[in-house]
């Protein structure tokens, strides 16, 4: 078996988008490490996160395991595709509960991915995070979700700024999908117009292209994924 051409960490590597990213990069002869609550058997190595631990405890676990996984090697990309969705407004019974979940799924993971990039990303490498196009404005029916995704957008801006902590010439950017074409979304939105949903394979290839300096956006970019008639366009926010 040929030596891997490059290395990538996929935070959320067992989710719908994460699994596609793991498979795609592996098909390109990359070494792939997955970080998630569950093992991804397709990855070369796995870091299993304990969901009931605090953010600080997760930081310790993830950093220790990733250091063991990499054994001193640097990575070419860190992709954070962890996340989830929950609704609710200020009077909803589960408003705070859902907001807390959204914060853990999107902000905790993105911040930890950023920390890993600061430590292990090569100069000129790629850190990709996952925001949401909806969070560019108010999200009254899903306040916790919008709150968390807007925080991810802000994180991108901070990391891209001088002294953000990333390696020299690294790219940090976020995708801002409208709706990703996942099995779970199809299950819960059976009557939706799937031609406006962004295919997961498109996202995986987009990330890969960024690592190859193909259509690589400016540092700090928030890239909206606008899909119409099954064709996806990348639009800078």
């Amino acid at each position: 078996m040929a030596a891997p051409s490059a290395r990538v960490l996929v935070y959320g590597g067992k989710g719908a988008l994460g699994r596609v990213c793991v498979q795609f990069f592996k098909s390109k002869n990359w070494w792939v490490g997955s970080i998630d609550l569950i093992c991804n058997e397709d990855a070369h190595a796995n870091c299993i996160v304990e969901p009931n631990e605090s953010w600080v405890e997760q930081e310790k676990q993830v950093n220790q395991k990733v250091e063991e996984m990499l054994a001193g090697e640097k990575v070419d990309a860190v992709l954070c595709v962890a996340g989830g969705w929950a609704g609710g407004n200020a009077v909803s019974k589960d408003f705070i509960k859902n907001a807390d979940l959204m914060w853990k799924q999107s902000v905790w993971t993105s911040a930890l991915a950023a920390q890993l990039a600061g430590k292990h990303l090569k100069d000129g490498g790629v850190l990709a995070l996952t925001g949401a196009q909806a969070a560019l404005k108010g999200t009254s029916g899903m306040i916790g979700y919008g709150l968390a995704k807007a925080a991810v957008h802000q994180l991108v801006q901070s990391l891209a700024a001088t002294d953000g902590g990333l390696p020299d010439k690294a790219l940090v950017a976020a995708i801002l999908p409208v709706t990703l074409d996942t099995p779970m979304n199809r299950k819960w939105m059976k009557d939706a117009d799937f031609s406006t949903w962004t295919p997961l394979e498109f996202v995986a290839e987009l990330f890969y292209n960024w690592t190859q300096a193909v259509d690589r956006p400016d540092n700090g970019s928030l890239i909206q994924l606008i899909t119409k008639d099954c064709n996806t366009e990348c639009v800078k926010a």
Side-chain angles (χ1 to χ4, degrees):
M1 185 176 179
S5 61
R7 295 174 180 268
V8 60
L9 292 172
V10 182
Y11 211 122
K14 189 61 174 177
L17 178 54
R19 290 196 300 271
V20 171
C21 288
V22 168
Q23 293 167 355
F24 186 91
F25 277 83
K26 193 175 179 182
S27 75
K28 298 295 185 181
N29 194 37
W30 283 47
W31 177 95
V32 182
S34 173
I35 306 167
D36 209 322
L37 307 178
I38 305 171
C39 176
N40 184 330
E41 297 81 0
D42 291 330
H44 293 93
N46 280 271
C47 170
I48 308 302
V49 182
E50 292 294 335
N52 296 323
E53 297 286 3
S54 69
W55 199 358
V56 173
E57 286 301 317
Q58 286 189 14
E59 175 196 17
K60 293 177 182 177
Q61 293 174 7
V62 170
N63 276 279
Q64 180 179 348
K65 181 59 179 178
V66 169
E67 287 180 6
E68 294 173 1
M69 288 162 52
L70 295 177
E73 296 282 351
K74 292 288 187 177
V75 299
D76 300 82
V78 178
L79 313 177
C80 184
V81 292
W85 183 89
N89 62 18
V91 295
S92 300
K93 178 183 177 181
D94 292 329
F95 171 46
I96 299 303
K97 177 183 176 182
N98 287 348
D100 178 60
L101 177 62
M102 294 298 91
W103 199 260
K104 289 176 178 176
Q105 290 183 341
S106 289
V107 180
W108 286 21
T109 55
S110 295
L112 289 171
Q115 185 179 56
L116 292 173
K119 291 182 177 181
H120 303 292
L121 192 64
K122 290 180 180 178
D123 288 353
V126 172
L127 169 62
L129 305 180
T130 304
Q133 198 263 354
L136 292 173
K137 54 185 179 181
T139 54
S140 58
M142 46 182 183
I143 293 179
Y145 176 82
L147 182 68
K149 291 299 187 179
V152 174
H153 300 174
Q154 198 282 335
L155 176 60
V156 170
Q157 304 301 305
S158 294
L159 292 168
T162 303
D163 296 328
L166 295 183
D168 187 43
K169 297 181 180 178
L171 165 69
V172 56
I175 57 165
L176 276 58
V178 177
T179 307
L180 293 175
D181 192 354
T182 67
M184 192 61 68
N185 281 342
R186 285 194 176 237
K187 176 182 178 180
W188 294 112
M189 294 183 278
K190 296 178 181 178
D191 298 325
D193 180 2
F194 300 148
S195 70
T196 64
W197 291 11
T198 303
L200 303 183
E201 293 77 11
F202 175 91
V203 180
E205 185 172 12
L206 181 68
F207 289 154
Y208 177 76
N209 286 343
W210 290 356
T211 70
Q212 305 301 302
V214 176
D215 298 326
R216 184 165 166 141
D218 295 333
N219 195 30
S221 292
L222 303 177
I223 304 297
Q224 302 173 83
L225 304 182
I226 309 300
T227 303
K228 183 179 180 181
D229 297 329
C230 298
N231 292 311
T232 301
E233 182 181 3
C234 295
V235 180
K236 187 174 179 180

